[in-house]
Amino acid sequence: MKLVCIECGKSRRPDNPYPMSCDCGGLLEVEHDFRGADAERLKALFDSRIALRTGPYASGVWRYKELIDPGLEEARIVTRGEGNTGLYDCGPAASFAGVRRVWLKAQGENPSGSFKDNGMTVAVSRGAAAGFRTFACASTGNTASSLAMYAAWAGLRCVVLVPPGGVADGKLAQTVCYGAEVYGIEGGYDTGVRLLNRCGEELGLYVCNSFNPFRIEGQKSIVIEAAHQLDWTLPDWIVLPGGALSNASALGKGLREMKAIGLIDRLPRVAVVQAEGASPFHRMIASGGKELVPEPAPRTAASAIRIGNPPSWRKAARVLRETDGVTCAVSDEEILAAKRVIDRAGVGCEPAAAAGLAGLKKLAADGTIGKDETALVILTGHMLKDTDALRVAPDAGGGPFSPDELLARLGRRA
Ligand SMILES: *Cc1c(COP(=O)(O)O)cnc(C)c1O
Ligand SMILES: [Zn+2]
């Protein structure tokens, strides 16, 4: 295994995290050597681990260690049993979107409540193994919650930079409760990422933003686990929200590697959905542009994807080329309509997570996705993460009523 620059191809050993990008400015990516991999042997190994209830291989990420970080010593793994999330065949979501079948992959069921745990377990394990004691990130919320949780669990220091007023209350509370040092930063997420990228090494920080290539490796487990749950087949489409575009990059890499090894025999197409007010990647793809033009003032109620300058856009663009993928942008109204369907179906998710289903509906309506096709929609975060956006019925919380009044209201005649 080695780290390879996605721009110039220069490579180096994976043990030292710095510099976290190439001299040429390109992002680094983990390159595995899967030449000896045997799909049938791997499937049997992964199946055998399903029976485990404790230890690192009971994790829904580390179950797939051979595909994610084969070189890491087992004793170095920092895990909270992440992954192992539900995959729900959801009729109401399929009817809403206007396609044949929709599977919801509920990453909100992770220990800190979002898919960030899938990647963070690998980044923190690698950083601690390299001897770092202080971990840092810039975050719109869920990255901070996740990093704070793993740092607390492993007894490490955690520093997070957040856009003032730009993080949902629940996420901030979670981060503070886990013991992280939280700093607001002028200019928000995009400025925070730039600052950590430039000064992390000098400050002795192990930076866990998504340009950290090990997060991408861990996030691949979302599609690997979904394929395993579906007996090594996948639906026609994988649909997910895009902010920093790390997850689109990760899922695409996971698909490519599973296909190369022979774990799956067909590549699904990937659809990346952005919020209209924070959609620089969609604009670039739709206009046929070759360079991403950042959005200086990103706006959307879905705070987790309120990102104007997504660091991983080049990796995500490659995923679109390789999977014949597409992008689209949806309004906040469309996001909240999709969220209502997911909530009422009994699964639930935070607003950013609902962008995927909103995009699926839009792409099915304009014929990009066929009505007889099937989709796996990644629900990236938990319903209780962003309670600012929860809709409460106007008559909720009436009362208090006496027991007799209540029985009368519920329809019982005296
Ligand atoms: C981080 C996050 C996203 C965006 O993922 P990227 O990898 O930044 O594109 C979407 N939804 C939720 C809930 C998130 O926490
Ligand atoms: Zn390079």
Side-chain angles (χ1 to χ4, degrees):
M1 182 171 117
K2 52 190 177 179
L3 292 175
V4 180
C5 170
I6 63 163
E7 301 296 329
C8 73
K10 205 157 95 183
S11 73
R12 61 180 165 91
R13 293 167 49 82
D15 341 6
N16 178 5
Y18 281 107
M20 247 183 227
S21 40
C22 182
D23 320 328
C24 81
L27 293 186
L28 299 173
E29 177 168 86
V30 171
E31 190 178 296
H32 296 278
D33 182 358
F34 287 139
R35 275 171 305 182
D38 174 338
E40 292 314 311
R41 202 194 58 78
L42 284 171
K43 287 181 189 177
L45 178 64
F46 300 153
D47 275 345
S48 75
R49 291 177 181 158
I50 291 282
L52 300 173
R53 313 306 286 273
T54 57
Y57 298 111
S59 152
V61 175
W62 295 102
R63 178 180 305 129
Y64 309 104
K65 185 173 187 293
E66 288 69 18
L67 304 184
I68 287 169
D69 194 346
L72 184 72
E73 255 181 81
E74 197 180 308
R76 301 292 195 170
I77 294 175
V78 177
T79 176
R80 279 286 328 278
E82 51 290 310
N84 291 317
T85 59
L87 181 67
Y88 305 106
D89 184 353
C90 186
S95 315
F96 171 78
V99 300
R100 183 154 60 86
R101 197 166 188 186
V102 170
W103 295 94
L104 300 177
K105 180 75 171 140
Q107 295 310 106
E109 294 172 9
N110 267 297
S112 88
S114 83
F115 83 85
K116 300 300 198 295
D117 295 348
N118 292 77
M120 208 57 83
T121 179
V122 183
V124 171
S125 298
R126 273 280 168 179
F132 284 82
R133 303 296 301 163
T134 304
F135 288 64
C137 68
S139 175
T140 59
N142 283 331
T143 299
S145 305
S146 181
L147 181 58
M149 180 187 77
Y150 285 103
W153 180 237
L156 303 161
R157 184 174 164 227
C158 177
V159 171
V160 310
L161 310 182
V162 296
V167 174
D169 290 346
K171 299 177 187 180
L172 199 56
Q174 195 182 11
T175 304
V176 171
C177 290
Y178 280 128
E181 295 161 43
V182 179
Y183 301 99
I185 177 161
E186 289 168 9
Y189 171 86
D190 297 310
T191 313
V193 169
R194 248 193 332 273
L195 182 75
L196 289 178
N197 205 5
R198 205 176 64 234
C199 305
E201 180 172 15
E202 182 189 321
L203 296 170
L205 303 173
Y206 186 78
V207 179
C208 291
N209 276 105
S210 55
F211 47 75
N212 181 314
F214 292 107
R215 267 189 54 193
I216 303 284
E217 292 310 297
Q219 287 170 207
K220 286 179 346 193
S221 67
I222 300 167
V223 275
I224 301 172
E225 184 177 75
H228 194 181
Q229 286 167 308
L230 293 170
D231 200 18
W232 305 105
T233 62
L234 282 168
D236 301 311
W237 289 85
I238 311 268
V239 186
L240 76 163
L245 300 170
S246 76
N247 215 21
S249 308
L251 302 198
K253 186 170 191 281
L255 294 172
R256 181 200 316 149
E257 291 171 351
M258 281 197 287
K259 173 82 168 30
I261 293 170
L263 286 166
I264 54 173
D265 47 37
R266 195 175 60 90
L267 272 187
R269 297 175 69 184
V270 172
V272 178
V273 185
Q274 296 203 289
E276 266 171 11
S279 55
F281 185 62
H282 168 65
R283 274 191 280 112
M284 179 188 88
I285 299 293
S287 66
K290 292 277 171 285
E291 287 292 321
L292 184 122
V293 180
E295 164 63 60
R299 284 180 323 277
T300 166
S303 54
I305 51 174
R306 196 184 293 145
I307 291 174
N309 194 6
S312 294
W313 69 267
R314 285 180 199 275
K315 289 184 180 177
R318 175 176 172 200
V319 167
L320 295 186
R321 287 195 299 276
E322 288 178 349
T323 67
D324 192 16
V326 300
T327 61
C328 78
V330 291
S331 68
D332 283 3
E333 290 68 36
E334 290 169 313
I335 289 175
L336 292 175
K339 174 172 155 52
R340 199 147 43 237
V341 171
I342 294 163
D343 292 349
R344 292 296 183 92
V347 178
C349 67
E350 69 168 281
L357 184 63
L360 177 60
K361 181 182 172 69
K362 193 162 221 171
L363 292 165
D366 74 15
T368 307
I369 295 182
K371 309 229 172 305
D372 57 345
E373 291 195 286
T374 58
L376 171 68
V377 175
I378 313 295
L379 300 183
T380 43
H382 194 277
M383 190 178 191
L384 294 177
K385 277 287 198 173
D386 196 346
T387 48
D388 318 355
L390 289 184
R391 290 287 165 90
V392 178
D395 60 348
F401 302 108
S402 72
D404 282 345
E405 283 168 341
L406 198 55
L407 289 175
R409 284 198 164 230
L410 295 173
R412 190 169 108 180
R413 301 277 153 254

